[in-house]
């Protein structure tokens, strides 16, 4: 691999402008291909999971699937209420986006009235067409200022969430980009070199977004793919170029600035260049384990992350050596009057390394104990689906949603019992569903009028049971369990030759986290295997493979423990501007494990490769550990600071799951870089000594592992 990388790098350095132009032409080609082919957004059926998903499939087969519904809420009194309701109905019926308008319904205390508006088209597409409906509602509100006339529903809420997410992400860019640039300016002391990592990261992101469109025809995009490309692309893109450029500058400084550009490129490509490639492959392979989740959300995330990571690696193999050739000599000429700056750890990292080297047993005991203490809250983690109830109330439709549920509690959630049978058995099925509804009438958690619908061909029946509780309430979850384990077996379950399932809001809320919990052990086991195999193959050491697995588990566990301690409780609400749901998003642990395991390999490979290079060059293992970590500490801490900045910029976001993910990743990278790599890893290696390289011997593997 090393010879191939050197050949590519030297070819780029020999014809730098050709390589640079070629890279940006490739980026433009990716964008053009994406625009020409277009993307494929995820459809409703792509989100079907568990029994709830099976129930939705049954209902859809009979044309009884859930439809996009907007509800207009009118609050006030007097004759104008009826006139306003009639005007709303008339206006909505005239819209092409509307399929039907229900009759006005008063709340139990007559203080509010609602009008249900069923939109045309698919449920997921409705958010794109809800604006005309809201415009009509606003006009009627303007005509009746003495009333409160407002609108909410799934389409309005989804549209509001999307708009808020867009505004939030724009703010993160305003935070992350300047801080990243400032960090790079401090590291390189050259504006030209500082811009290179940002330029290549952004170009890789643009290319990945372009290629993600045709890729979505294999793995449909659920709407978060671009966000993940931005998040991961900035992190790995900046890191890879930073590692490469730092090593190049160190070699130039070590050689007294006498190395030619070609020799400098060869050295950087043979050392850090190979480490970048191995790191990129590690991130891509680790991320690919998300496909095992059998979930359109994770498939979309995996596709985006893999594309942008591989493109970042490609840019480091082609455009980066060319840019290095063009810019390094210019930067060094400007710095020729200054003494060469040798690489070394900063004051804090240097002090930590010295303390660790002097007292490795104490350092290991204290640091591992602290990490385990941070992990402890993980034992109480409660995973739930971050659904509609968790959305920020800064969205106007969510404020209306709360007022609507207060006036009409029966709308809070619903159980739907879907049954498919031969048309000749329709009467038998309806009788069983009526019996189920009768049982539900005596259930205090299922107050409201049940509704039974049958498909035109009598093949599918759907019983809807209103639940006057939010999906996250214990009463709603317990009622779902009773329907599934008591009412259903005693009624529909007594029939033979029928297919049935319970779906609805509560079922989806319960089944999705359960699905994630079932998949998590398989994915974690695969991640551990991938981490072990990649480390063993790279360094020819089983011991290092085992160390990598344990350390990654330790950093992920501590990050999840901190996440649980912060977000499942209320003490940090004012500090981080959130309202605790008492739970963690069901997707967060899996995403954290996968992304962190991949990104941790960056530091793992970069640090260990420097150590192995020195050890295989004849330096005693103890000295190699101290010198290798000292030489790589500056690059690792700089890269970690950039990553933490990018991830932490997601903490101010309003969307709870994104806030939790940003916090968890920022904490994980911080712990991984400053505790795992600066304290725990060197302590372990110092205590192991030459046993670190088992079963190989450093002298034997010198030609195999010189990668840093």
């Amino acid at each position: 691999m090393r010879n191939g990388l050197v050949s590519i790098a030297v070819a780029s350095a020999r014809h730098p402008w050709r390589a640079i132009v070629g890279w940006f032409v490739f980026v433009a080609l990716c964008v053009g291909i994406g625009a020409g082919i277009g993307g494929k957004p995820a459809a409703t059926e792509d989100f079907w999971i568990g029994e709830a998903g099976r129930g939705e499939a049954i209902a859809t087969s009979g044309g009884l699937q859930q439809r996009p519904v907007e509800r207009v809420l009118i609050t006030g009194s007097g004759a104008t209420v009826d006139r306003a309701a009639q005007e709303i109905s008339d206006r909505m019926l005239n819209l092409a986006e509307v399929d039907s308008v229900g009759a006005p319904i008063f709340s139990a205390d007559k203080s509010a009235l609602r009008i249900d508006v069923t939109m045309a088209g698919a449920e997921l597409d409705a958010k794109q067409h809800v604006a005309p409906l809201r415009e009509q509602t606003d006009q009627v509100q303007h005509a009746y200022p003495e009333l409160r006339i407002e609108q909410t529903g799934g389409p309005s809420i989804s549209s509001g969430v999307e708009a808020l997410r867009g505004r939030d992400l724009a703010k993160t860019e305003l935070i992350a980009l300047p801080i990243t640039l400032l960090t790079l300016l401090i590291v390189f002391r050259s504006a030209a070199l500082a811009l290179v990592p940002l330029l290549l990261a952004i170009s890789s992101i643009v290319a990945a977004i372009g290629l993600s469109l045709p890729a979505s025809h294999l793995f449909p995009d659920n709407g978060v793919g671009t966000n993940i490309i931005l998040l991961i692309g900035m992190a790995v893109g900046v890191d890879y170029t930073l590692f490469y450029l730092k090593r190049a500058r160190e070699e130039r400084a070590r050689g007294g600035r006498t190395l030619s550009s070609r020799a400098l490129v060869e050295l950087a490509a043979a050392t850090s260049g190979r480490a970048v490639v191995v790191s990129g492959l590690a991130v891509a392979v680790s991320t690919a384990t998300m496909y095992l989740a059998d979930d359109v959300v994770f498939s979309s995330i995996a596709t985006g992350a893999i594309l942008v990571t591989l493109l970042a690696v490609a840019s480091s193999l082609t455009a980066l050596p060319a840019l290095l050739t063009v810019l390094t000599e210019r930067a060094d000429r400007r710095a020729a009057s200054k003494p060469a700056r040798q690489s070394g750890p900063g004051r804090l990292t240097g002090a930590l390394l010295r303390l660790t080297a002097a007292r490795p047993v104490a350092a290991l005991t204290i640091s591992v104990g602290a990490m385990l203490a941070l992990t402890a809250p993980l034992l109480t983690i409660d995973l739930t689906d971050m659904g509609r109830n968790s959305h920020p109330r800064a969205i106007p439709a969510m404020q209306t949603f709360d007022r609507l549920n207060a006036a009409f509690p029966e709308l809070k959630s619903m159980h739907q019992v879907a049954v498919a049978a031969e048309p000749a058995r329709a009467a038998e099925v309806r009788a069983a569903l009526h019996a189920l509804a009768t049982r539900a009438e005596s259930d205090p958690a299922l107050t409201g009028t049940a509704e039974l619908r049958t498909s035109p061909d009598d093949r599918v029946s759907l019983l809807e049971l209103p639940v006057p509780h939010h999906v996250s309430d214990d009463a709603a979850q317990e009622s779902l369990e009773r329907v599934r384990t008591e009412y259903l077996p005693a009624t529909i379950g007594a029939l033979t030759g029928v297919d049935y399932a319970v779906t609805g809001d509560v079922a989806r809320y319960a089944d999705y986290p359960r699905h994630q919990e079932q998949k998590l052990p398989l994915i974690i086991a695969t991640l551990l295997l991938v981490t072990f195999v990649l480390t063993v193959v790279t360094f020819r050491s089983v011991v290092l493979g085992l160390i990598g697995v344990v350390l990654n588990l330790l950093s992920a566990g501590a990050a999840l423990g901190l996440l649980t301690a912060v977000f499942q409780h209320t003490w940090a609400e004012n500090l981080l501007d959130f309202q605790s749901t008492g739970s963690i998003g069901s997707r967060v642990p899996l995403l954290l494990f996968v992304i962190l395991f991949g990104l941790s390999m960056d530091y793992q490979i970069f640090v260990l490769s420097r150590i192995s290079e020195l050890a295989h060059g004849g330096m005693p293992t103890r000295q190699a550990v101290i010198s290798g970590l000292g030489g790589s500490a500056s690059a690792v801490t700089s890269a970690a600071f950039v990553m933490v900045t990018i991830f932490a910029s997601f903490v101010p976001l309003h969307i709870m799951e994104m806030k939790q993910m940003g916090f968890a990743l920022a904490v994980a990278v911080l712990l991984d870089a400053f505790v795992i790599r600066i304290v725990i890893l060197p302590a372990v290696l110092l205590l192991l000594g030459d046993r670190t390289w088992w079963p190989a011997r450093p002298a034997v593997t010198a030609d195999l592992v010189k990668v840093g």
Side-chain angles (χ1 to χ4, degrees):
M1 181 191 289
R2 185 169 63 249
N3 292 336
L5 295 178
V6 171
S7 299
I8 295 172
V10 169
S12 296
R14 190 173 296 163
H15 307 285
W17 290 110
R18 186 182 301 175
I20 294 169
V21 171
W23 168 252
F24 287 102
V25 168
F26 170 75
V27 172
L29 185 63
C30 291
V31 174
I33 290 173
I37 296 177
K40 179 187 177 184
T44 301
E45 56 269 20
D46 293 319
F47 293 89
W48 292 342
I49 281 179
E51 182 179 344
R54 191 161 55 86
E56 290 184 71
I58 293 172
T60 301
S61 68
L64 303 178
Q65 68 269 25
Q66 187 167 328
R67 302 289 301 278
V69 176
E70 286 287 287
R71 292 187 166 96
V72 179
L73 179 66
I74 302 176
T75 307
S77 59
T80 55
V81 171
D82 292 330
R83 291 201 301 271
Q86 186 60 51
E87 186 168 344
I88 283 286
S89 299
D90 293 341
R91 285 172 174 264
M92 294 296 183
L93 282 171
N94 287 327
L95 295 177
E97 294 82 2
V98 172
D99 181 72
S100 62
V101 177
I105 301 174
F106 278 97
S107 62
D109 60 1
K110 306 297 182 182
S111 64
L113 177 146
R114 83 169 197 264
I115 301 170
D116 298 344
V117 182
T118 302
M119 296 182 64
E123 184 181 6
L124 288 182
D125 297 334
K127 64 182 177 182
Q128 303 170 14
H129 309 293
V130 74
L133 282 72
R134 298 189 62 82
E135 183 180 348
Q136 297 302 318
T137 300
D138 292 341
Q139 289 180 10
V140 176
Q141 170 66 92
H142 182 73
Y144 297 89
E146 70 278 12
L147 303 175
R148 172 185 273 174
I149 303 174
E150 50 193 340
Q151 181 179 323
T152 188
S156 284
I157 292 173
S158 297
S159 176
V161 168
E162 198 170 83
L164 181 61
R165 183 189 292 120
R167 293 194 298 270
D168 281 349
L169 289 175
K171 292 178 183 177
T172 66
E173 294 171 5
L174 293 176
I175 298 172
L177 286 176
I179 294 179
T180 299
L181 181 58
L182 180 61
T183 302
L184 295 173
L185 283 170
I186 293 173
V187 170
F188 293 115
R189 297 173 184 263
S190 164
L193 286 178
L195 287 171
V196 169
L198 279 179
L199 178 66
L200 293 184
I202 292 172
S203 66
S204 298
I205 289 169
V206 172
I209 291 174
L211 292 181
S212 69
L213 295 174
S216 67
H217 289 271
L218 292 175
F219 304 102
D221 180 22
N222 76 313
V224 301
T226 300
N227 297 338
I228 292 298
I229 288 174
L230 290 169
L231 180 71
I232 302 300
M234 283 298 297
V236 300
V238 169
D239 273 10
Y240 293 164
T241 50
L242 190 150
F243 288 159
Y244 200 107
L245 290 174
K246 281 281 289 182
R247 184 59 185 262
R249 297 200 80 185
E250 289 169 16
E251 294 296 342
R252 175 62 62 89
R254 187 178 292 119
R257 297 192 179 94
T258 60
L259 288 174
S260 67
S261 296
R262 178 173 174 177
L264 187 65
V265 166
E266 287 183 3
L267 275 173
T271 54
S272 288
R274 184 172 184 258
V276 165
V277 172
V278 175
S279 296
L281 292 176
V283 174
V285 174
S286 298
T287 305
T289 60
M290 281 193 280
Y291 290 120
L292 298 174
D294 190 24
D295 178 351
V296 67
V297 176
F298 289 108
S299 295
S300 180
I301 290 172
T303 302
I306 290 171
L307 283 174
V308 77
T309 299
L310 294 180
L311 286 166
V313 171
S315 73
S316 73
L317 294 178
T318 55
L320 182 56
L323 287 166
L324 179 63
T325 301
V326 172
L327 296 177
T328 299
E329 289 183 349
R330 175 172 170 266
D332 283 337
R333 282 197 300 270
R334 294 180 64 180
S337 60
K338 303 177 184 178
R341 298 176 68 245
Q342 298 295 325
S343 174
R347 291 183 180 179
L348 177 59
T349 54
L352 287 173
L353 284 172
R354 286 191 295 272
L355 287 173
T356 301
R359 299 286 188 272
V361 174
L364 184 62
T365 302
I366 294 171
S367 56
V368 170
M371 294 291 281
L372 291 175
L374 293 176
T375 305
L378 180 58
L379 298 174
T380 63
I381 193 170
D382 180 20
L383 300 180
T384 60
D385 183 23
M386 289 294 169
R388 191 171 297 168
N389 293 340
S390 68
H391 293 324
R393 268 48 188 177
I395 301 171
M398 284 305 303
Q399 299 173 21
T400 306
F401 176 78
D402 289 337
R403 287 190 283 269
L404 178 72
N405 287 330
F408 300 91
E410 67 273 14
L411 297 179
K412 288 182 178 179
S413 57
M414 182 177 294
H415 300 316
Q416 295 175 311
V417 182
V419 184
E422 292 298 323
R425 305 185 64 185
E428 186 181 4
V429 169
R430 283 195 291 267
L433 288 174
H434 279 303
L436 193 157
T438 300
R439 288 174 178 266
E441 286 176 359
S442 60
D443 193 319
L446 297 176
T447 58
T449 303
E451 181 181 349
L452 176 60
R453 292 186 287 148
T454 305
S455 63
D457 60 2
D458 284 337
R459 193 174 55 83
V460 177
S461 298
L462 185 71
L463 177 68
E464 296 182 336
L465 302 171
V467 182
H469 302 280
H470 290 299
V471 294
S472 58
D473 293 345
D474 290 340
Q477 294 296 312
E478 290 167 2
S479 70
L480 173 65
E481 190 67 18
R482 287 192 293 274
V483 170
R484 283 179 167 175
T485 61
E486 297 178 24
Y487 307 157
L488 202 57
T491 54
I492 292 295
L495 304 180
T496 58
V498 299
D499 188 16
Y500 58 87
V502 179
T503 183
D505 309 316
V506 184
R508 284 190 288 270
Y509 182 86
D511 290 355
Y512 191 84
R514 189 175 298 132
H515 176 81
Q516 301 308 320
E517 291 171 3
Q518 291 171 349
K519 295 293 184 180
L520 193 58
L522 171 63
I523 294 175
I524 291 178
T526 306
L527 276 173
L528 295 178
L529 180 62
V530 166
T531 300
F532 177 77
V533 170
L534 284 172
T535 306
V536 171
V537 169
T538 303
F539 297 102
R540 305 296 193 267
S541 168
V542 172
V543 173
L544 285 178
L546 293 173
I547 291 173
V549 166
V550 173
L551 295 188
N552 281 353
L553 278 176
L554 198 58
S555 60
L560 278 174
L562 269 174
L563 178 71
T564 304
V566 170
F567 283 92
Q568 274 191 197
H569 304 283
T570 59
W571 63 270
E573 286 183 333
N574 292 332
L575 182 65
L576 298 179
D577 187 25
F578 72 97
Q579 185 173 352
S580 176
T581 62
S583 62
I584 302 299
S586 59
R587 299 186 186 100
V588 173
L590 195 154
L591 282 170
L592 175 66
F593 269 107
V594 172
I595 294 175
L596 178 61
F597 267 61
L599 296 181
S600 292
M601 290 296 288
D602 284 350
Y603 302 147
Q604 180 97 334
I605 290 170
F606 189 71
V607 171
L608 291 179
S609 62
R610 296 297 293 270
I611 295 171
S612 66
E613 179 183 343
L614 296 172
H616 299 137
M619 185 179 289
T621 297
R622 176 181 174 82
Q623 187 58 41
V625 170
I626 296 172
S627 299
L629 279 163
S632 60
S634 174
V636 169
T637 53
S638 299
F641 185 77
V642 170
M643 273 198 183
V644 169
T645 300
I646 293 170
F647 293 142
S649 66
F650 277 64
V651 175
L653 300 187
H654 292 87
I655 309 302
M656 181 61 73
E657 213 162 23
M658 297 181 72
K659 180 187 286 284
Q660 290 181 354
M661 177 53 61
F663 176 87
L665 283 172
V667 167
V669 170
L670 199 63
L671 292 173
D672 193 86
F674 292 96
V675 180
I676 297 291
R677 307 300 162 195
I678 304 299
V679 180
I680 296 179
L681 178 62
V684 170
L685 298 183
L686 288 171
L687 292 173
L688 287 173
D690 288 339
R691 289 169 291 185
T692 297
W693 314 108
W694 186 86
R697 290 180 294 118
V700 175
T701 57
D703 294 332
L704 297 175
V705 196
K706 191 175 182 182
V707 296

